[in-house]
Amino acid sequence: MSAATANDSDDDFRRGQQPMLASQRAKENKTPTEANRTGRIGGMFTLGYKDGFSQWWANVPAAVAEHKVMSFIPYLKKPPTQAQTGTKPPTETPLASDEPVTDETKTTAVKTTSNSDPFGPRQWDSKLVKLSGKNRALNEFSVERLEEETKQNIVMLHGYGAGLGFFYKNFEGLSRVPGWKVYALDLLGMGRSSRPPFRIRAKDRQASITEAENWFIDALEEWRIQKKIERFTLLGHSLGGYMAVAYALKYPGHLNKLILASPVGIPEDPYAVNADMPEPPQSTLVNEVTQDQGEVVSGSNSSLSDGPKPGDNNNFLNARSRAEKAGKADDKTPPRKPLPKWLTYLWDANISPFSFVRWAGPLGPRFVSGWTSRRFSHLDPEEAQALHTYAYSLFKQRGSGEYALAYILAPGAFARSPLIRRIAGVGRQMISRDGSTTSSLTATEQKRENGLPVVFMYGENDWMDIAGGYDAEQKMKEEKEKLMRTASAEQKAQDEGSAKVMVIKRAGHHVYLDGWEEFNEVMREEMEEVSRREKRRLGVS
């Protein structure tokens, strides 16, 4: 099935209506905005005190909140949400506070038939996959095509503080591709995965960064081994994209494509890399809280070269034209704008923003609404409310993986060990000739990877620096050119290394949600390209 054909039925997801922006609804109803009622600061938190207290008192379990979000998936009115959330070590008996909505959602996979599902039959499943060690388990959601052989797998990793439920508009569309099984995972210590205590034992700077990265990617590798998946396509959003690159470098030979959706940590900033108390130029990370996403997705969808679009507060969207002019003229670095001292202190003291949600008690839901009301303002009100409840149910969980962020990123969202320094090594690591990796191999027992296709994907109105994507693309192409100069004809023919930057129209940082229709179509095309390439590699017609 072609991506174009599959896209024809994406309209089924719309539910026959176009959502109205929150600001438009307020104007139409002539109701005063929260900002008018409570002032500028109060206007950032759109949930009223009474409603916030009611949500705090209700204490909706994370499993129930995830179940509600998943119920917006077509053909999946009773999602198979497993009952255990990793707040405590996994047990044989589901936690009473996390009882699912119905008995059917406990452990039973949901199956759709060809009669009820035009792209079926499919099986939808949810599991808490136990790993080695104490209190280590990953929350997994999967969609499998029935009555056909699974030949390819795609694994999806969410961003900082989020969860796999944020991909609810993508599971159905991506699982249409024949021969593919779709997995989404909550990172260790985030979402509904287990939340073991996060500790760094290393003493020096680089070792601490590596240990923080390994905390996540070692869990992913152990999951892969448990699932007996030899090769897969890895999609990571934001922090998940950063971890996807780290995984590709540490565990080479297991990816057939790497897709980085608005990845964090690519560009290099001298303050983030060198300063003891880093104060980098102010990042548009603040836009993740202050941007009204309704304005972002309803903004112009013309080409990037036309100039700034909604959300381009730091002039990131003309990065492509700047990157293309690199070498032709010196580009002046914008003046440094330090972050507040209190923010850098809290960041480097490793006080998580989610700590304030937990400390706030009854005010927690109201604080979270400052983000969710803007982040989901372009969605149908019922979906936006479900995502708000889901987000709060995750934010209030015991702190764990969130504490890794201060070791990986400096204040302002610049990486302490920028990926731009390492990205050229993706798909170029040394592995054994049978595909395994070990440091004890001799040079004659090793070979270099044959390259890896890497896709950098950004939203048209993304606050993430797209220039980093173009720089990374150039680094990878230069590395390939250097290796191909001395490569044999056979090595050149077998090389699969490539890199490209793509832009999803009318989307911000969360490209998979803001521009989900185009995102799903692009993803299906990338998945089908993998299928064709793997057939050629295996000599299958």
Side-chain angles (χ1 to χ4, degrees), residues 82 84-90 128-140 186-197 215-216 219 397-402:
Q82 54 87 11
Q84 293 178 243
T85 295
T87 307
K88 297 180 180 179
L128 192 65
V129 181
K130 295 182 181 181
L131 305 178
S132 63
K134 185 178 180 180
N135 192 20
R136 296 179 71 247
L138 296 185
N139 184 36
E140 167 197 300
D186 281 339
L187 293 169
L188 184 65
M190 294 186 182
R192 292 181 57 228
S193 290
S194 67
R195 294 179 174 240
W215 201 78
F216 297 102
Q397 299 294 325
R398 183 177 63 192
S400 178
E402 66 199 59

Side-chain angles (χ1 to χ4, degrees), residues 107-277:
T107 55
T108 305
V110 173
K111 296 182 180 180
T112 58
T113 66
S114 298
N115 292 331
S116 62
D117 179 356
F119 297 97
R122 290 180 280 190
Q123 176 171 292
W124 312 70
D125 205 358
S126 174
K127 297 178 181 177
L128 192 65
V129 181
K130 295 182 181 181
L131 305 178
S132 63
K134 185 178 180 180
N135 192 20
R136 296 179 71 247
L138 296 185
N139 184 36
E140 167 197 300
F141 186 83
S142 65
V143 190
E144 181 179 7
R145 299 184 60 82
L146 302 176
E147 300 180 6
E148 63 183 51
E149 180 185 358
T150 298
K151 297 180 179 179
Q152 301 294 337
N153 298 279
I154 183 169
V155 177
M156 307 166 72
L157 302 178
H158 60 79
Y160 175 68
L164 60 82
F166 280 50
F167 293 118
Y168 77 105
K169 284 188 178 289
N170 314 119
F171 294 128
E172 194 281 323
L174 302 192
S175 61
R176 296 177 184 181
V177 184
W180 282 76
K181 184 170 183 177
V182 177
Y183 290 98
L185 301 174
D186 281 339
L187 293 169
L188 184 65
M190 294 186 182
R192 292 181 57 228
S193 290
S194 67
R195 294 179 174 240
F198 178 84
R199 300 186 182 93
I200 292 292
R201 295 176 174 81
K203 302 301 181 183
D204 65 274
R205 179 190 182 92
Q206 185 54 51
S208 296
I209 295 170
T210 301
E211 188 175 344
E213 294 174 357
N214 290 345
W215 201 78
F216 297 102
I217 63 177
D218 289 351
L220 173 59
E221 174 64 1
E222 187 176 348
W223 174 88
R224 180 197 68 80
I225 294 172
Q226 275 203 36
K227 292 294 178 177
K228 297 180 172 59
I229 297 174
E230 183 56 35
R231 287 166 59 87
F232 63 100
T233 293
L234 183 56
L235 163 68
H237 171 253
S238 196
L239 181 66
Y242 179 103
M243 293 304 166
V245 173
Y247 176 86
L249 291 171
K250 183 174 182 180
Y251 295 106
H254 296 298
L255 299 183
N256 49 36
K257 180 172 284 188
L258 183 61
I259 302 176
L260 307 175
S262 194
V264 73
I266 291 182
E268 180 168 343
D269 177 82
Y271 301 104
V273 172
N274 300 316
D276 292 333
M277 291 290 289

Side-chain angles (χ1 to χ4, degrees), residues 97-112:
S97 63
D98 268 336
E99 279 297 324
V101 178
T102 64
D103 289 340
E104 289 84 348
T105 66
K106 219 168 208 178
T107 55
T108 305
V110 173
K111 296 182 180 180
T112 58

Side-chain angles (χ1 to χ4, degrees), residues 457-502:
M457 197 181 300
Y458 294 86
E460 182 185 22
N461 304 316
D462 207 325
W463 59 257
M464 194 63 72
D465 191 350
I466 194 175
Y470 286 110
D471 289 343
E473 176 189 31
Q474 184 62 29
K475 288 276 188 182
M476 297 190 73
K477 289 181 176 179
E478 289 174 355
E479 180 68 13
K480 179 175 180 176
E481 290 174 359
K482 182 178 71 175
L483 292 173
M484 291 302 100
R485 292 191 195 110
T486 57
S488 65
E490 181 182 5
Q491 288 173 326
K492 291 179 180 179
Q494 293 177 346
D495 193 87
E496 297 179 340
S498 67
K500 63 181 177 182
V501 178
M502 305 186 71

